[in-house]
């Protein structure tokens, strides 16, 4: 899971920025996987002894993903929350608060990421943490995603909810968005290199974009 790294552009990236912190939480802590997607992080957290609440927008897809994992019999609880959008999903949580929130590859899909971060904040325990990953909006891939979004809007091509990247921010802008939402940035790093992104983009993007025109 992205707690430990990811494989992208044909390269295995591994980092410790999250794993060093996640190991400090006691077994039985509550975690919120916000924008849970494939439940990859939800499963990882359950394996580590967290009680996990997974929030996303497609109940059938989440259930299908859940059936694909061999969930641990370690006494942990796993709750799925599906809603028409992520903000509604938050409202279904109730009064529960979480020692850890994961928000991996979510903020770039939102119209107002700072506003959503402010809505998440009350669900974080007083001594809790939030883990966030976002793309570097200055890469060729992100520029291409923006062009594709504009093309889709111009041609009225259907894009499913949650698919397009609505944000194209530099690392510095992302950090400022998080600070403006009222958070302290305790650690941050840029892990996926410029060279790998650029080389892959020069090969893949002409083929991909031509196929969408």
């Amino acid at each position: 899971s992205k707690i430990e790294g990811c494989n992208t552009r044909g390269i295995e990236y591994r980092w410790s920025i999250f794993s060093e912190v996640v190991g400090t939480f006691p077994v039985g802590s509550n975690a919120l996987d916000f924008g849970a997607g494939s439940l990859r992080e939800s499963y990882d957290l359950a394996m580590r002894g967290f009680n996990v609440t997974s929030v996303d927008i497609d109940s059938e897809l989440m259930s299908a993903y859940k059936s694909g994992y061999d969930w641990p019999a370690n006494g942990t609880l796993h709750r799925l929350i599906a809603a028409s959008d992520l903000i509604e999903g938050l409202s279904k949580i109730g009064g529960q608060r979480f020692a850890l929130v994961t928000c991996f590859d979510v903020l770039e899909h939102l119209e107002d990421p700072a506003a959503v971060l402010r809505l998440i904040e009350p669900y974080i325990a007083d001594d809790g943490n939030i883990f966030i990953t976002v793309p570097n909006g200055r890469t060729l891939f992100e520029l291409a995603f923006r062009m594709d979004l504009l093309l889709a809007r111009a041609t009225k091509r259907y894009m499913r909810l949650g698919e397009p990247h609505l944000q194209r921010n530099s690392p510095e802008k992302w950090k400022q968005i998080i600070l403006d939402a009222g958070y302290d940035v305790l650690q941050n790093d840029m892990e996926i290199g410029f060279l790998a992104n650029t080389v892959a983009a020069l090969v893949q993007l002409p083929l991909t974009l031509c196929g969408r025109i």
Side-chain angles (χ1 to χ4, degrees):
S1 80
K2 281 208 166 179
I3 291 172
E4 294 188 346
C6 69
N7 300 337
T8 187
R9 318 300 184 228
I11 298 175
E12 293 185 3
Y13 290 93
R14 297 296 179 265
W15 46 71
S16 60
I17 189 170
F18 300 132
S19 57
E20 289 178 351
V21 177
V22 78
T24 66
F25 293 96
V27 171
S29 295
N30 294 324
L32 170 63
D33 189 4
F34 183 73
S38 67
L39 305 183
R40 178 181 53 191
E41 281 71 43
S42 296
Y43 176 74
D44 187 333
L45 290 167
M47 292 292 292
R48 296 172 188 266
F50 285 84
N51 298 310
V52 185
T53 298
S54 305
V55 174
D56 215 306
I57 58 175
D58 190 324
S59 60
E60 291 186 7
L61 189 57
M62 291 176 75
S63 296
Y65 280 130
K66 181 168 182 172
S67 67
Y69 293 99
D70 183 15
W71 294 88
N74 58 2
T76 58
L77 302 176
H78 183 217
R79 178 187 181 194
L80 293 179
I81 295 179
S84 60
D85 59 57
L86 292 176
I87 295 175
E88 182 188 353
L90 281 176
S91 70
K92 294 184 176 183
I93 291 173
Q96 187 176 11
R97 302 182 77 196
F98 301 90
L100 175 63
V101 175
T102 59
C103 184
F104 290 156
D105 301 332
V106 174
L107 299 182
E108 64 270 22
H109 299 280
L110 304 177
E111 290 280 1
D112 190 344
V116 174
L117 285 171
R118 293 187 192 100
L119 292 174
I120 294 173
E121 192 276 334
Y123 297 96
I124 304 175
D126 292 339
D127 57 349
N129 294 95
I130 181 170
F131 294 169
I132 296 172
T133 62
V134 287
N136 180 353
R138 295 299 179 259
T139 64
L140 290 177
F141 273 107
E142 291 302 311
L143 178 60
F145 292 155
R146 174 53 59 91
M147 292 172 60
D148 186 49
L149 173 61
L150 295 176
L151 182 62
R153 288 172 172 172
T155 60
K156 301 187 183 330
R157 189 182 81 233
Y158 172 74
M159 301 186 83
R160 64 182 178 82
L161 183 64
E163 176 185 353
H165 286 193
L166 304 180
Q167 303 291 324
R168 194 172 70 85
N169 300 317
S170 67
E172 294 78 15
K173 178 65 179 297
W174 277 122
K175 184 176 181 179
Q176 191 58 52
I177 287 172
I178 294 167
L179 291 171
D180 289 345
Y183 291 80
D184 296 322
V185 177
L186 303 181
Q187 297 183 58
N188 74 290
D189 201 356
M190 185 166 66
E191 292 288 352
I192 298 178
F194 172 80
L195 181 60
N197 269 314
T198 301
V199 171
L202 291 174
V203 174
Q204 295 178 24
L205 287 178
L207 298 175
T208 302
L209 292 177
C210 286
R212 294 199 175 193
I213 295 177

